[in-house]
Amino acid sequence: MKTIDELLSEGVAGKRVFVRADLNVPLDGTTITDDGRIRAVLPTVEALAGAGARVVVASHLGRPKGAPDPAFSLAPAAARLGELLGADVAFATDTVGESATATVAGLADGQVAVIENLRFNAGETSKDDAERGAFADRLAALADVYVGDGFGAVHRKHASVFDLPARLPHYAGYLIATEVGVLRKLTDDVRRPYVVALGGAKVSDKLAVIDELLGKADRILIGGGMAYTFLKAQGHEIGTSLLQEDQLAAVREYLERAEKNGVELVVPVDTLVAAEFPDMKTKAPADPATVAADAMPAGQMGLDIGPETRKLYASKLADAATVFWNGPMGVFEHPDYAEGTRAVAQALVDSPGFTVVGGGDSAAAVRTLGFDENAFGHISTGGGASLEYLEGKTLPGLAALED
């Protein structure tokens, strides 16, 4: 895989460089609530522009249905990129049409443009190779060189991620090079004890990575909504908590295999419960109760790990040489259910080992809860991509960058 440093050494002045970034930021209307993904691509964009390239930044945002939708416009992301660069950033109001063609043609050396949301064109996400290829051909006409730096999308077989690199000289940007280097430390050269903390809502989202980690991790800590399927699999009452009943057999098998393999698979010993899900608009006080995980009332739902579990998980993380965390421990967006996630984040901060926050909601949580990002070994920009890499899958966007 060639890197951007090799590209820069070859010279990029005057060349149109297509940077596939991940500007898929959360929005409240047109206000960006977390610009972490934009900041993550800055080193690549700054290096290229500083060397005289004409930089064309492209990304998706959200899940529009193959047609323009103002709610998913990249205009706010383009404006924020300009603020962070301290320079004007041109914005094309389409992907491969008149606006994109004219905007790119109007770039001078060292200038940057952002084209509109790639998913406004159905060819970007099409499962039909020909349709994707046709869109990739039109994107290729906008550039001389391709730089892949959207790690959050490399697990997608999409036109701008998979098909376009085959049509242009291609290189990995700084972000992708960093992300791959970190993930190799979690797979190829792991320092032990290796502890993994997994949360989030659905156990089905984590089954494949748990399956892989049962042969690699020393401890796996389970939290979030998925924990209640584990508790149910152990025979406990879980009230109205989130349950994936169709996953119970798989979870029981994992519990048995963990014991057989000598892997500590740790589930909550207590939990915060309430009669209903909290009001996420007003964030009104929820007044939860703390109960033992094996004594949940029938009419209550679990919404965060309890204080004893927080202490337990902190102790399990304290001596870790390597930590990977993906998924919050509870409904962290509500202050009454944020302490479990905060406790795990703090345990990573306190850990002397190499700590990785695996993107997605975990990355959002550490920012929302006010942690210094530099206190962690690495905060990934791609939760789904990180998980699939750890599962041992071939990621289309990384394969496309190989020579």
Side-chain angles (χ1 to χ4, degrees):
M1 184 184 294
K2 292 183 178 180
T3 67
I4 186 175
D5 284 332
E6 294 174 81
L7 172 60
L8 292 169
S9 70
E10 296 166 6
V12 294
K15 292 184 179 179
R16 300 169 301 162
V17 181
F18 188 103
V19 178
R20 201 332 179 160
D22 180 8
L23 308 181
N24 186 27
V25 292
L27 293 172
D28 181 3
T30 59
T31 301
I32 297 170
T33 58
D34 181 357
D35 67 357
R37 284 176 169 165
I38 301 175
R39 287 185 285 111
V41 78
L42 278 179
T44 290
V45 174
E46 288 175 330
L48 291 167
R54 302 177 183 192
V55 186
V56 182
V57 180
S59 176
H60 72 282
L61 191 152
R63 296 180 181 273
K65 298 179 180 179
D69 183 338
F72 297 107
S73 175
L74 277 175
R80 180 57 180 153
L81 178 61
E83 291 173 357
L84 292 168
L85 289 171
D88 290 337
V89 169
F91 181 65
T93 56
D94 57 26
T95 57
V96 290
E98 291 182 4
S99 179
T101 301
T103 299
V104 173
L107 290 176
D109 293 1
Q111 290 188 328
V112 179
V114 174
I115 62 174
E116 187 55 286
N117 192 336
L118 292 164
R119 291 185 182 176
F120 285 2
N121 190 303
E124 169 68 2
T125 60
S126 176
K127 296 186 183 303
D128 181 81
D129 292 348
E131 186 177 11
R132 275 199 333 274
F135 183 48
D137 287 339
R138 297 183 71 187
L139 290 172
L142 298 174
D144 306 303
V145 181
Y146 177 93
V147 172
D149 215 30
F151 181 73
V154 293
H155 58 314
R156 306 295 188 191
K157 192 177 181 181
H158 291 170
S160 66
V161 176
F162 179 75
D163 302 274
L164 182 55
R167 290 158 166 79
L168 294 170
H170 46 269
Y171 302 80
Y174 289 126
L175 175 61
I176 279 187
T178 298
E179 294 273 15
V180 171
V182 166
L183 289 170
R184 283 175 177 160
K185 291 183 180 180
L186 300 178
T187 53
D188 300 336
D189 187 23
V190 182
R191 292 183 296 144
R192 298 186 180 279
Y194 177 22
V195 184
V196 177
L198 296 175
K202 295 181 179 180
V203 68
S204 56
D205 293 341
K206 305 293 195 302
L207 281 179
V209 76
I210 293 172
D211 184 65
E212 186 71 17
L213 289 169
L214 283 172
K216 294 182 177 178
D218 298 298
R219 299 174 199 136
I220 302 174
L221 316 180
I222 302 295
M226 62 184 283
Y228 302 101
T229 299
F230 277 82
L231 291 169
K232 184 71 172 180
Q234 291 179 325
H236 302 311
E237 169 66 52
I238 63 166
T240 59
S241 305
L242 186 63
L243 170 66
Q244 285 191 281
E245 197 160 0
D246 61 335
Q247 305 298 334
L248 285 171
V251 168
R252 291 189 186 101
E253 193 271 326
Y254 287 171
L255 288 165
E256 293 171 2
R257 182 145 47 103
E259 185 174 2
K260 181 180 178 181
N261 290 355
V263 176
E264 288 187 71
L265 205 164
V266 190
V267 299
V269 295
D270 63 347
T271 185
L272 299 189
V273 298
E276 58 187 19
F277 198 81
D279 187 325
M280 298 305 292
K281 289 186 177 180
T282 65
K283 306 288 178 73
D287 194 26
T290 301
V291 299
D294 60 358
M296 291 182 64
Q300 302 280 300
M301 67 173 64
L303 294 163
D304 193 15
I305 58 174
E308 293 304 314
T309 304
R310 292 174 218 153
K311 294 177 187 176
L312 174 64
Y313 285 11
S315 72
K316 297 293 184 182
L317 289 162
D319 68 342
T322 304
V323 180
F324 176 74
W325 169 36
N326 181 280
M329 296 291 107
V331 187
F332 75 92
E333 300 91 343
H334 192 288
D336 288 335
Y337 302 106
E339 292 310 305
T341 301
R342 187 189 305 277
V344 168
Q346 187 62 54
L348 265 68
V349 170
D350 295 339
S351 171
F354 179 60
T355 58
V356 179
V357 180
D361 286 342
S362 306
V366 300
R367 298 185 183 108
T368 299
L369 297 175
F371 285 91
D372 180 356
E373 294 181 41
N374 294 321
F376 303 90
H378 179 69
I379 298 179
S380 178
T381 57
S386 295
L387 288 176
E388 290 199 16
Y389 189 100
L390 294 183
E391 290 166 19
K393 291 183 177 178
T394 297
L395 305 188
L398 296 184
L401 293 176
E402 298 288 351
D403 294 317

